[in-house]
Amino acid sequence: MVPPRDIGPFVTTEPKTPAQRRLTGRAIMPGEEAPRTVELFDARPALNRREGIITGENSSFRFLRFARIALQPDAPGYAPIPVQLGDTEEAVFYVNRGQARLTVDGQTYTLGKGDVLYVGLGRRVVVEVDGPLADVSEFRAIECHTEYPVQLVRHRDIEGTELAADLGRKRPMTRRTVYKLVDQNVQACRLLFGDTYLAQPGGVGSYPPHFHGPDGPFGLGDRAKEEIYHFRCESEIPGDTPFVLQNCARPEDPVSTYVHIFDEQAINVTPGYHDTIAPPPVHFMFTWCLGAYTEGHRDWSEIYNRPGYEDEW
């Protein structure tokens, strides 16, 4: 098992609109003249605010949304943050670092690093800090129609279980642990969620290349899932700018092509293959959130592998 740890410093930015959060990555596919564009997002939080990172207005996501909440009680403007879910919205709240208190329907839950709270349709959540810092990610799915209870998942309770998948035994650079924090252990309409930690710098995550989007000749249609990756990166070389390379080839492409992603950026990986490569001195981890196209059809393993790579897991 690769243990969870903080990667990269805690960083914030000034408040930004969703339009300002939207970035465009570009990669060259051999044989194509025009660059391939990829939906990227500035995911840095703004201090003592809730900021929408991925919305329906700045992305092509049908179901998934992403926000950040960063709280420091000794910084100007601190106050508890109320979050109201719509009548057909569910969400997971994940603590990136620090400690948070979340209150739902009069019940207060204290979450530490890596812990997750699932909250169902139409609920109001109040997010507070429980210590010097609370850095929280909120992943939301819309168009949900079944109400499920609030469910708390402790990261430590997933560690060492079958929901902590140790992958990459065939290729040492791909060794990693995928913590499936919101899977069949949690009742939900569309959401699946977890975090992934690599065993070494220069690692390769999400390997082998796989796909579970809806479209194209290999699309999964009603069995498809959208997906967000949110990256944290750090380099062992002082002053270096850490990054990873994310595959953005589509299943019909003959070769892979990659786009740069920097620390505290998120990407819509739905349209293409998923695998992520780091330069030799770079450590990285990422959170991932899947949104099922069909409510209740939350099978994490339904994927299309790049042909020839089926035994690379």
Side-chain angles (χ1 to χ4, degrees):
M1 185 185 82
V2 181
R5 69 177 184 89
D6 288 340
I7 292 181
F10 173 65
V11 293
T12 60
T13 186
E14 70 279 0
K16 295 186 176 185
T17 66
Q20 292 170 324
R21 295 281 182 179
R22 172 62 190 271
L23 309 170
T24 300
R26 293 175 174 83
I28 299 298
M29 173 61 68
E32 294 183 3
E33 292 187 8
R36 179 158 298 178
T37 59
V38 181
E39 294 180 13
L40 303 179
F41 306 88
D42 180 352
R44 293 173 296 171
L47 198 56
N48 289 331
R49 294 173 60 92
R50 177 188 179 274
E51 291 263 309
I53 308 298
I54 296 177
T55 68
E57 290 69 42
N58 73 352
S59 76
S60 64
F61 280 106
R62 179 176 170 184
F63 300 109
L64 289 179
R65 308 290 186 258
F66 175 32
R68 293 289 295 278
I69 301 169
L71 300 175
Q72 277 188 333
D74 59 352
Y78 172 75
I81 301 289
V83 180
Q84 180 65 54
L85 300 184
D87 290 342
T88 59
E89 296 179 342
E90 63 180 358
V92 294
F93 295 83
Y94 168 87
V95 176
N96 297 288
R97 62 184 68 195
Q99 236 175 232
R101 288 195 306 271
L102 278 67
T103 301
V104 189
D105 296 339
Q107 177 73 40
T108 298
Y109 305 85
T110 300
L111 280 69
K113 175 179 170 56
D115 294 343
V116 174
L117 191 71
Y118 169 86
V119 181
L121 312 185
R123 302 292 183 91
R124 184 176 187 269
V125 183
V126 177
V127 183
E128 302 175 80
V129 71
D130 189 46
L133 171 69
D135 177 5
V136 178
S137 289
E138 171 202 319
F139 291 91
R140 190 180 300 208
I142 68 170
E143 297 183 28
C144 301
H145 300 94
T146 303
E147 185 171 355
Y148 292 108
V150 175
Q151 296 156 81
L152 174 64
V153 180
R154 301 282 185 199
H155 204 285
R156 65 174 179 265
D157 293 338
I158 300 299
E159 296 166 20
T161 73
E162 62 183 10
L163 292 175
D166 289 318
L167 301 177
R169 297 184 183 278
K170 187 172 183 179
R171 312 280 178 190
M173 72 288 295
T174 70
R175 283 191 55 239
R176 63 200 186 275
T177 300
V178 179
Y179 296 97
K180 295 182 273 188
L181 302 172
V182 176
D183 197 88
Q184 302 312 307
N185 59 317
V186 171
Q187 293 177 293
C189 294
R190 299 191 188 275
L191 290 174
L192 293 160
F193 175 81
D195 52 21
T196 297
Y197 287 86
L198 281 293
Q200 64 181 55
V204 179
S206 296
Y207 182 87
H210 62 281
F211 169 76
H212 40 66
D215 302 322
F218 305 98
L220 275 64
D222 290 343
R223 297 177 295 118
K225 297 166 190 68
E226 299 181 320
E227 189 166 18
I228 297 168
Y229 282 1
H230 170 220
F231 287 95
R232 295 306 318 266
C233 315
E234 66 181 11
S235 176
E236 294 181 350
I237 298 175
D240 192 25
T241 299
F243 66 89
V244 295
L245 297 173
Q246 178 66 40
N247 198 347
C248 56
R250 302 184 186 111
E252 61 268 26
D253 292 328
V255 297
S256 294
T257 190
Y258 293 81
V259 65
H260 284 72
I261 302 180
F262 296 93
D263 185 37
E264 280 284 23
Q265 289 185 351
I267 180 174
N268 179 359
V269 296
T270 309
Y273 281 128
H274 312 354
D275 60 284
T276 311
I277 302 171
V282 171
H283 298 263
F284 76 97
M285 63 80 62
F286 60 100
T287 53
W288 44 268
C289 185
L290 292 152
Y293 265 60
T294 299
E295 286 189 66
H297 195 89
R298 299 165 57 240
D299 187 346
W300 185 82
S301 65
E302 279 191 336
I303 57 175
Y304 173 80
N305 286 294
R306 191 176 188 100
Y309 286 75
E310 293 83 0
D311 296 328
E312 289 287 308
W313 287 92

